[in-house]
Amino acid sequence: MLAEMHIQGLGVIDGATLELHPGLTVVTGETGAGKTMVVTGLHLLGGGRADSSRVRSGAARAVVEGRFTLAPDSPAAEVAAEAGAEPDEDGSLIAVRSVNAQGRSRAHLGGRSVPNAVLSELADQVLAVHGQNDQLRLLRPGEQRGALDRFAGRAVEEPLAEYRRVRREWLDVVRELSDRRERSRELEREADLLRHGLSEIEHADPRPGEDVELVERARRLSDIDRLREIASDALSAVSGATEESPDDTGAVTLVGQARRSLGGAEDPRLRELEGRLSEAAAVLSDVGAELSSYLDDLQADPAELERILSRQAELKQLTRKYAEDIDGVLAWAEQARGRLQGMDTSEEALAELAAHRDRLAEQLVTHARALTAARVEAARRLSEAVTEELAGLAMAQAEFEVVVRPQLAGAGGQESIVVDGQELHAGSEGVDEVEMRLRAHGGAPPLPLHKGASGGELSRVMLGLEVVLADADTVPTLVFDEVDAGVGGRAAVEIGRRLARLARSHQVVVVTHLPQVAAYADRHLVVDKAQETTGFTHSDVRIVSDEQRVSELARMLAGLDSTETGRAHAEELLSVADRYKSECGARSSAGG
């Protein structure tokens, strides 16, 4: 939750610290005192858009600092950890957002500079701001479906996740089938080229590394005369006389003579050398035998050389077209086979792909039905809950209705499936449209919210909806910004009661002008404004209690703060509120 917020240089607030209660905190003050700057500060702290016009006149920048207390294993703590933010010694986390007079902003979390998006991600986990702009947004059909899904929770989340998973796969197959059909001629031409290339390669049937091997063999056959001369000279030097050199004396003969000379010596050192010459003679004999064998095998074979040169020319045709060497040609062939499998435009392949599409469509229809059923059930519960809230908001005859209806497919749309005989648009959120309606009284027809409610009624309807949706919200801190506008009397008391009840499970912050709401606060903050000698207006925020709180409520009662009647009325409001909260606490304890 948000334990504390400090505001500096924002609007009319020069500097103020707000200590928030874990339960219900209300913020009140005269018109123009700067109550909305509290919500503006929360928006900035949550990564919202920075506006230089919000910077206090004469100030270099506006700064908003918030101290959050987070559970160690909470999603918000994970966001902070991923950003490298360090908690304070007491475990709390400090978030800071500053905006200078030129509109440039900076964000810090746990002592580290972070993008604004990190603060936004953190705020998604810990803060939900419900204001008049949110009311207008909820009049849009897409937002109404989102509100219903949020109210339904896991009952809709799970079938929606399955629907989206199958839909992604189904769309991939639908697009591939369409692409193959539309590009069949182009793909067939490409396939012909690939098949021709594969046929050419398969006919040549090259082996890995064959081109390198042929180069070596061709070089040997081309140089056969020179190789024979080299080998013959070496054999003559090793073994002695040959037909070409009958008078030569070879190394084997000379080494034998040296051995015989040393063999009769009595000197041990000379006899040792004789043994080493014996080893040399053996090596020379082996080399001579291998040279003779090499010369016997080294026969000129013009036909073999011609065959090798012909094979090289054949392989050269492949390396000119497909790759730099034979290994690359074989890799190209493997890729071509894979490509051909994915571009088969034969009737059999298209029929198989169409059958796969139809199987996925059947699965998608099943998940769409489950999703619709979950929404219909959630719509029934949401309708009943909001209608019950309206009864307590001086709209006892009104009936709130959430309608889930099929979203018909447009003409020629690919993203459509047939459900129960109707062709529906299979969007990312399902096949449903959601519309919230109001029946103002028993004899009236149900109408969309923007048509079926007056301004005052719409405020109460939206507040009732906000309270119900907030009760289903998992974020710990809920902020209501004057959503009670246009409400008064008994309905205002009921609003206060509902917010107090909500504050038993959430931290609730309310900016209000209604004393009937403010009376239910666990902590009451007042924004005061004063005129400086320089002509600038500045505001401060203070906690009020006891007599100060009575005076503030009396002021809110049409400015009756200095009269006995106003103070008596304020004390009565506080007494009623305290009694109601005590009864709620007792019922909660008994239920626990």
Side-chain angles (χ1 to χ4, degrees), residues 151 377-391 399-402 468:
F151 173 78
E377 171 58 21
R380 180 190 61 79
R381 294 187 292 108
L382 180 59
S383 299
E384 293 175 355
V386 176
T387 298
E388 184 178 346
E389 289 296 325
L390 295 180
E399 182 179 346
F400 183 80
E401 182 179 300
V402 182
V468 172

Side-chain angles (χ1 to χ4, degrees), residues 21-97:
H21 193 276
L24 175 59
T25 299
V26 298
V27 181
T28 65
E30 295 181 10
T31 301
K35 299 188 298 297
T36 57
M37 289 301 103
V38 174
V39 178
T40 300
L42 288 170
H43 276 295
L44 286 173
L45 207 55
R49 177 177 172 273
D51 187 350
S52 61
S53 65
R54 296 296 189 181
V55 178
R56 177 174 168 78
S57 180
R61 67 182 185 275
V63 180
V64 182
E65 179 179 310
R67 181 166 62 87
F68 294 91
T69 56
L70 308 175
D73 57 348
S74 66
E78 292 179 9
V79 171
E82 290 175 2
E86 293 289 340
D88 279 6
E89 294 180 357
D90 61 358
S92 62
L93 188 68
I94 304 297
V96 181
R97 181 80 182 280

